[in-house]
Amino acid sequence: MKIAVNNGILVDPKNKIFEKMNLLIENGKIKELSNQKLSGDQELDCQGLYISPGFIDMHMHEDPMKNGKIKINIFEKMLKMGVTTAIGGNCGIGPNNIKEYLDTVEKGNPVNFGLFLPHSILREYIGAVDRYENLESRDIEKMYQYGKNLIRENDLFGISFGIEYIPGIDFNELVTLAGLGKNRIVSAHLRNDGADVFGALEEFLEVGNYVKTHLQISHIGSMAGYGQMAEFLSVVEEKRKAGIDISCDCYPYAAFSTHIGSAVFDNNYIQKHKVEYDCLEIMEGKYKGQRCTEELFNILREKFPDTLVTGHMMLEEDIETALKNPNTIIVSDGILGEDGSGHPRAAGTFPRFISKYVRDKKIMSLYEGIKKITSLPAEILKLNKGSLGIGDDADITIFSLEEIEDKATFSENALSPVGIKYVLINGETALKDGEIINSKLGKTVKYPKI
């Protein structure tokens, strides 16, 4: 089947195209680009619309698998945001049944999907349940061998760490297991945030002196968005100039989200950050929508530790500084509770980035903004996506710049965005006018064979 996409403005930073141009899709690939009108079995008239490579979210948290099935929720939200490829297993957290999970995706998923190796499943493999435990070298070696097989057998994109979530990770464990990401990607949620972020940054960057790899610093807004961002990015840039391959990612919200029972809130977190308990909003469960008190905080920590909360603490100016940085990729860090509740970033990130920061605030051009959500992540992931050249995968997002806007809020996190007119995945239409018409077009994506 041939699909002709006519009359739109093509934005393809990888191929340096930003002009009115038509394209033809055949057998899941871009077949032709032309200034002349093209014809096919189906025609999409994109007058007044922008045609972009499908958005790539390289940091999100996948739905769980239960009874052999993936509970579809966040993947559908990805598709409605214009995302065509998502990468999970981030922050060291992810499925321990990796092959089964990816095999299930391959049968049909709302978006293309791939995985990092989550560090936490390696600790689970050896029975290390105490997150503050330092491991012996022999146990680290067992984890390494197990992880090596998982990465090779499943062509994973590398390894991810949630150092703040498992404070017992020492440098021996970190650098040894980072070797699993050699010539791939090593991603990390740093050990500390706020005033303590610089030591945590140096710890992770030191990995680059031992392992030849791409280092990816996760969600820097929630790490250095409390007044440290400019200095933080300056240190990163110095390391880049010194030859370390490194980039960062960030979501376009001045509020983070995580489980209240995580190690993030250990060791007097509230007092250390000089905030009040009511900066934490409860996102699910019996107390959903309420702000924490000290009593409620302690109750949830003890009895309902998996409850998602949002921390309204970060500085908007720091978020903008992060988003503007040329080496920052835009991601959602989307995560949802079992009932679908959670931070609105899971449903609104990419339309919000384009509408609020590109169109309205004009902190960068549309061309630069599209680059951050297409070709930049595709380059890191080494995928044949994120661009619309001849022979490229036909993953395409078509939107109205005037209309695009996120609608999800902290109180109504499931609201779908507007302004996304079409999403094509692997050359077929998955979404039209904001409505999903085919939720089975996504396939597994894997790191190229080395």
Side-chain angles (χ1 to χ4, degrees):
M1 181 178 180
K2 294 182 179 179
I3 301 177
V5 182
N6 290 318
N7 302 320
I9 300 172
L10 191 65
V11 188
D12 181 3
K14 181 179 178 181
N15 293 297
K16 297 180 172 57
I17 300 172
F18 191 8
E19 61 181 286
K20 192 168 184 178
M21 188 171 285
N22 307 313
L23 57 85
L24 185 67
I25 300 163
E26 184 177 8
N27 297 325
K29 303 287 184 180
I30 306 299
K31 178 73 172 179
E32 183 179 354
L33 295 171
S34 176
N35 292 316
Q36 304 299 314
K37 184 176 180 179
L38 298 170
S39 60
D41 303 304
Q42 179 184 354
E43 180 184 346
L44 304 182
D45 184 358
C46 297
Q47 185 69 44
L49 303 178
Y50 288 84
I51 304 165
S52 165
F55 306 156
I56 297 173
D57 187 352
M58 66 177 286
H59 186 121
M60 52 82 69
H61 294 275
E62 66 286 341
D63 290 318
M65 173 176 277
K66 294 184 178 180
N67 300 320
K69 294 183 178 180
I70 298 172
K71 181 184 174 184
I72 299 300
N73 193 321
I74 200 167
F75 290 133
E76 291 183 350
K77 287 178 168 52
M78 292 281 131
L79 177 55
K80 289 186 175 184
M81 285 196 289
V83 171
T84 56
T85 299
I87 306 297
N90 282 285
C91 294
I93 306 165
N96 55 16
N97 53 343
I98 287 175
K99 185 180 187 303
E100 181 185 5
Y101 201 102
L102 293 177
D103 285 347
T104 303
V105 167
E106 183 64 20
K107 295 174 184 176
N109 196 54
V111 298
N112 300 312
F113 179 73
L115 276 169
F116 289 110
L117 172 66
H119 165 258
S120 66
I121 73 170
L122 303 182
R123 278 200 160 212
E124 181 181 328
Y125 171 71
I126 63 164
V129 295
D130 180 357
R131 61 195 185 197
Y132 282 93
E133 180 184 2
N134 297 135
L135 300 181
E136 299 290 338
S137 293
R138 62 178 180 273
D139 287 328
I140 295 171
E141 179 60 23
K142 289 178 185 177
M143 294 162 65
Y144 182 90
Q145 294 302 325
Y146 179 60
K148 182 170 70 172
N149 290 333
L150 287 174
I151 284 181
R152 288 181 175 177
E153 290 171 2
N154 298 286
D155 299 316
L156 304 181
F157 287 85
I159 184 169
S160 80
F161 294 91
I163 307 174
E164 188 171 23
Y165 293 134
I166 306 179
I169 299 172
D170 60 16
F171 191 71
N172 181 33
E173 181 177 353
L174 177 62
V175 76
T176 300
L177 297 181
L180 294 169
K182 182 180 179 181
N183 296 319
R184 296 180 187 240
I185 304 166
V186 176
S187 170
H189 173 141
L190 301 178
R191 186 179 297 276
N192 292 304
D193 61 21
D196 298 324
V197 75
F198 296 103
L201 175 61
E202 287 294 337
E203 175 189 42
F204 181 53
L205 294 181
E206 186 67 14
V207 170
N209 292 322
Y210 293 86
V211 182
K212 182 182 179 183
T213 187
H214 175 84
L215 299 180
Q216 186 71 24
I217 305 175
S218 297
H219 44 61
I220 59 173
S222 61
M223 296 285 97
Y226 314 93
Q228 302 83 21
M229 190 61 68
E231 185 179 353
F232 181 93
L233 290 171
S234 177
V235 173
V236 171
E237 185 57 29
E238 288 177 8
K239 295 295 184 179
R240 284 177 59 85
K241 289 178 179 178
I244 294 180
D245 182 8
I246 183 170
S247 61
C248 305
D249 56 61
C250 187
Y251 48 84
Y253 294 84
F256 66 82
S257 186
T258 192
H259 296 103
I260 199 165
S262 76
V264 170
F265 296 115
D266 290 353
N267 304 317
N268 299 312
Y269 178 89
I270 298 295
Q271 292 77 13
K272 185 173 67 173
H273 282 73
K274 299 178 181 179
V275 294
E276 301 297 329
Y277 285 94
D278 64 3
C279 74
L280 298 179
E281 180 178 358
I282 302 164
M283 306 308 294
E284 59 177 332
K286 178 181 178 180
Y287 304 101
K288 180 179 178 180
Q290 295 186 34
R291 294 295 183 117
C292 273
T293 61
E294 182 175 3
E295 180 183 13
L296 190 49
F297 175 83
N298 291 326
I299 289 172
L300 291 173
R301 291 268 291 168
E302 180 182 354
K303 296 183 178 180
F304 306 101
D306 290 334
T307 301
L308 284 171
V309 294
T310 288
H312 298 272
M313 296 170 53
M314 293 131 69
L315 303 178
E316 176 63 28
E317 54 265 38
D318 273 358
I319 302 304
E320 289 193 20
T321 297
L323 299 179
K324 286 189 292 187
N325 185 273
N327 297 309
T328 300
I329 294 158
I330 311 305
V331 300
S332 73
D333 192 19
I335 184 170
L336 297 174
E338 288 192 7
D339 65 351
S341 297
H343 193 297
R345 65 195 185 193
T349 286
F350 296 90
R352 177 183 177 87
F353 170 64
I354 293 172
S355 62
K356 179 176 180 177
Y357 293 98
V358 173
R359 183 192 64 205
D360 296 344
K361 288 197 168 188
K362 295 180 172 57
I363 68 170
M364 69 189 74
S365 69
L366 179 62
Y367 184 89
E368 292 169 321
I370 293 298
K371 183 177 182 180
K372 287 174 172 289
I373 56 178
T374 60
S375 58
L376 272 182
E379 181 181 353
I380 293 170
L381 296 165
K382 293 183 167 51
L383 290 175
N384 185 35
K385 299 183 183 295
S387 60
L388 298 176
I390 303 298
D392 287 344
D393 292 345
D395 292 343
I396 302 172
T397 297
I398 301 169
F399 62 93
S400 165
L401 185 59
E402 292 181 357
E403 298 175 31
I404 193 169
E405 187 177 358
D406 62 305
K407 293 295 185 180
T409 65
F410 290 98
S411 59
E412 296 184 272
N413 75 299
L415 296 178
S416 300
V418 296
I420 305 288
K421 300 301 182 179
Y422 297 97
V423 177
L424 283 74
I425 294 180
N426 295 311
E428 296 185 52
T429 305
L431 178 141
K432 181 179 179 181
D433 293 327
E435 297 297 324
I436 296 174
I437 61 174
N438 192 334
S439 63
K440 297 294 184 180
L441 296 175
K443 301 295 182 181
T444 58
V445 289
K446 300 181 177 182
Y447 198 83
K449 295 283 188 182
I450 298 175

